[in-house]
Amino acid sequence: MQTDPLLQMRHIVKIFPGVRALNGVDFTLRKGEIHALMGENGAGKSTLIKVLTGVYASDGGEIKVEGQAVSIRSPQDAQNNGISTVYQEITLCPNLTVAENMFIGREESAWVKRKDYEKRADEILSNLGIPARSTQELGNCSLAVQQMVAIARAVDMKCKVLILDEPTSSLDDKEVNMLFDLMRDLKSKGVGIIFVTHFLEQVYEVSDRITVLRNGELVGEYTVEELP
Ligand SMILES: Nc1ncnc2c1ncn2[C@@H]1O[C@H](COP(=O)(O)OP(=O)(O)OP(=O)(O)O)[C@@H](O)[C@H]1O
Ligand SMILES: [Mg+2]
């Protein structure tokens, strides 16, 4: 028996004054898949992600997570459905430590002792092979490591769908490879990753499938092998 996809977005419509940003777009993500979302400027990539993460209300369409229809009206709804985004511009606090950034604002962190969450942070970092220590100030880490800490935080919050919006644009080659290793590791742990990018080379290197949008329309969904 075929299991339900991790995520199904069907016929998604989003209208801004004067623009149909999304005109009935479909997008499917499987468990343990890295799925690239591509398209020219203005294609609708960010809008699709914002509908998925509850930043925008859609004007039509449906979203299913593991086969169940869900209503995502806020970022909190997205979080509750296991959907997390790591934005290109890091949204963590550079003057706090790595561990503080991983646990800040999370209910369970209120009563946990500093030493305990530092220990837990170090375990998570080492499990994911992220070269940082829990007690380091985040702002002293490279951008790549800061981004990986944001990913570690999302993963520890049980995210099933991880969205990376242009994650490589400010990284050098070595850092890109580090990020790809982390993505492959999460994939092997069953996380579904949506990789929004402009870089076709990187898509070939790390993705399983690709969805291409143009002017708010779905151009197609391809496996990496199918593409020239
Ligand atoms: N908040 C908004 N208000 C009005 N129009 C918007 C808004 N956000 C996006 N649009 C329009 O919707 C369309 C899709 O934009 P979107 O940002 O989703 O494209 P994108 O694929 O992410 O492009 P880029 O590669 O430049 O990031 C564009 O025509 C854009 O101008
Ligand atoms: Mg965009």
Side-chain angles (χ1 to χ4, degrees), residues 16-17 19-21 39-48 56 166 198:
F16 292 115
V19 193
R20 260 181 185 262
E40 298 159 15
N41 292 339
K45 304 179 298 293
S46 295
T47 304
L48 188 69
Y56 294 152
E166 300 282 356
H198 280 93

Side-chain angles (χ1 to χ4, degrees), residues 49-202:
I49 295 306
K50 286 178 181 163
V51 166
L52 179 59
T53 54
V55 176
Y56 294 152
S58 71
D59 297 300
E62 66 166 357
I63 302 178
K64 287 185 176 175
V65 175
E66 293 170 328
Q68 300 287 322
V70 295
S71 148
I72 299 176
R73 295 212 181 83
S74 66
Q76 190 58 52
D77 285 345
Q79 191 69 255
N80 293 343
N81 281 292
I83 300 167
S84 288
T85 323
V86 172
Y87 289 101
Q88 179 185 336
E89 57 292 352
I90 310 287
T91 46
L92 300 180
C93 308
N95 55 333
L96 298 182
T97 67
V98 166
E100 285 163 343
N101 271 288
M102 284 171 69
F103 292 103
I104 194 170
R106 291 170 55 180
E107 285 165 28
E108 68 269 38
S109 62
W111 48 269
V112 180
K113 290 201 197 78
R114 164 178 290 269
K115 277 277 165 263
D116 290 341
Y117 71 70
E118 284 176 353
K119 184 162 168 265
R120 180 146 154 228
D122 277 321
E123 280 165 12
I124 298 162
L125 294 167
S126 100
N127 273 339
L128 295 175
I130 299 172
R133 276 170 296 107
S134 64
T135 51
Q136 258 176 299
E137 200 171 290
L138 188 76
N140 291 334
C141 302
S142 69
L143 264 182
V145 168
Q146 294 189 34
Q147 199 167 49
M148 297 205 294
V149 168
I151 294 172
R153 174 186 161 96
V155 170
D156 193 51
M157 289 169 82
K158 308 279 175 271
C159 94
K160 296 183 257 187
V161 176
L162 178 67
I163 303 157
L164 303 175
D165 196 351
E166 300 282 356
T168 58
S169 38
S170 45
L171 306 185
D172 66 29
D173 288 353
K174 192 169 151 258
E175 293 172 326
V176 168
N177 284 329
M178 228 161 50
L179 178 68
F180 284 180
D181 284 343
L182 176 57
M183 287 165 67
R184 291 188 189 104
D185 183 36
L186 296 176
K187 170 188 149 95
S188 76
K189 294 182 161 98
V191 178
I193 300 177
I194 304 176
F195 176 34
V196 184
T197 183
H198 280 93
F199 302 108
L200 193 56
E201 302 271 290
Q202 297 185 349

